Amino acid sequence: MWFGSFIIRSIWLSLTVALFWLPVLVVVGYGVRFLFEIFQNEPIALGMVIVISVQPILVLLAIFAIRGGMMALKVTRGTDLNSLGAVVFRIVRFNLPLMWGVTILFGLSTTITGLRLLNSDFTAELEQAKETGSMLDIGLLIELIGQFPVFLIGGWLLGACVSFALLGVSVAAQSARAAVKPPSHHSIWGMASEFTNLLILSLILIIIPFIAAIFAIGTDAKLVDLTALNPIAFYGALGYGTWAICALAAGAALAYSLTLESTKRKHQEILDAIGDTAQPTVDLKSLRHSRMKK
């Protein structure tokens, strides 16, 4: 599919995904808030709960968002709640580490290169914090992170775009398994399928707005400067980010449907080719001679 049609269809489908996913997001948000209220007086227990549950919760939200798009496209059946746990485990075990690996590869390479080219003090302060052991001080660590240049986050976002393009269909395929009578997709089914379309979609939705935001707040802005954003800009960015997630989920669902159609078409072509070769060929000349002899 031409990437222009893919992007338009993904953006249109994102509206349906938002209607399906936002109620789920609200329910999960209230659940997270409830956990914070329970463990508010137990910071160690709260930290353990966050470390253990943050990735499964994010994967669960991604599954519901992508399934919203797939159900709108009618390429999956109703959700089987009993299968959600197994699907989340499969993605966390295989797909998510690959996505993190690609993201970290791009993020670290661009961050190290950018800091060296800028001769930034951030590297020197980080080395000094390691030598003095002050990184164990949470307050000083947060203050140090606050001095990180905002524009270097672009490398991490670019890595996330590439990982999404590589594994978006694969994650959607695993999400399709959380359905009644699920398909038998293996863990890497659809990997790198519709790579170009998904990459262009993610670059348009993430990288271009990020570049515009960098020029708006200043190319020399630090993370700590983001705390000074006015409420309109903050909530506007939050709203756009939520819709962008819906659009990316819609793109993954659309890419899955296209890959599914392509796979079925290729399978049918193979069956037709086998059927053609299996048919016996008739020698019309020999048949005519045999009839003339009779």
Side-chain angles (χ1 to χ4, degrees), residues 2-275:
W2 180 57
F3 70 88
S5 300
F6 183 88
I7 292 171
I8 293 173
R9 289 188 61 183
S10 298
I11 292 175
W12 179 253
L13 184 62
S14 67
L15 303 177
T16 303
V17 172
L19 292 176
F20 179 88
W21 187 61
L22 288 180
V24 177
L25 184 62
V26 171
V27 172
V28 173
Y30 272 106
V32 172
R33 180 182 177 183
F34 180 69
L35 287 176
F36 272 89
E37 291 178 354
I38 292 177
F39 295 104
Q40 61 181 348
N41 297 323
E42 300 290 341
I44 297 178
L46 179 60
M48 293 178 62
V49 169
I50 292 175
V51 171
I52 294 173
S53 62
V54 61
Q55 289 195 116
I57 289 176
L58 293 177
V59 170
L60 185 64
L61 289 173
I63 289 173
F64 275 112
I66 294 173
R67 285 194 57 79
M70 291 193 297
M71 292 181 70
L73 293 171
K74 299 180 180 179
V75 293
T76 187
R77 295 183 175 90
T79 303
D80 182 10
L81 297 179
N82 296 324
S83 303
L84 280 175
V87 172
V88 170
F89 176 75
R90 290 192 191 98
I91 296 176
V92 171
R93 179 189 63 181
F94 182 79
N95 303 90
L96 190 60
L98 289 178
M99 298 183 76
W100 274 118
V102 175
T103 303
I104 292 173
L105 179 64
F106 275 82
L108 285 180
S109 60
T110 55
T111 297
I112 294 172
T113 303
L115 290 175
R116 288 180 177 178
L117 291 176
L118 293 173
N119 293 323
S120 175
D121 295 334
F122 182 82
T123 304
E125 293 176 359
L126 185 63
E127 292 294 335
Q128 183 179 1
K130 286 182 179 179
E131 294 175 358
T132 60
S134 58
M135 291 189 70
L136 298 176
D137 189 333
I138 301 299
L140 290 177
L141 181 60
I142 293 176
E143 183 179 353
L144 178 61
I145 294 174
Q147 299 304 312
F148 186 79
V150 175
F151 79 93
L152 290 179
I153 298 176
W156 296 84
L157 295 178
L158 179 61
C161 292
V162 175
S163 66
F164 171 73
L166 280 173
L167 294 156
V169 176
S170 182
V171 173
Q174 294 306 307
S175 302
R177 300 188 65 174
V180 180
K181 296 181 180 180
S184 57
H185 296 317
H186 51 78
S187 297
I188 60 173
W189 190 95
M191 181 179 291
S193 297
E194 299 294 328
F195 176 85
T196 303
N197 285 332
L198 289 177
L199 180 62
I200 294 175
L201 176 66
S202 57
L203 291 177
I204 291 175
L205 293 176
I206 297 177
I207 299 300
I208 293 179
F210 175 78
I211 294 174
I214 289 298
F215 281 104
I217 64 177
T219 56
D220 58 345
K222 305 292 191 297
L223 285 179
V224 68
D225 297 330
L226 298 181
T227 59
L229 291 177
N230 62 71
I232 296 177
F234 174 77
Y235 287 110
L238 185 62
Y240 175 81
T242 303
W243 172 79
I245 293 173
C246 294
L248 292 174
L254 179 58
Y256 170 77
S257 68
L258 295 174
T259 305
L260 196 63
E261 292 176 3
S262 176
T263 302
K264 290 180 178 179
R265 183 171 61 252
K266 291 178 181 178
H267 181 68
Q268 187 61 44
E269 290 175 356
I270 293 174
L271 292 178
D272 293 341
I274 293 174

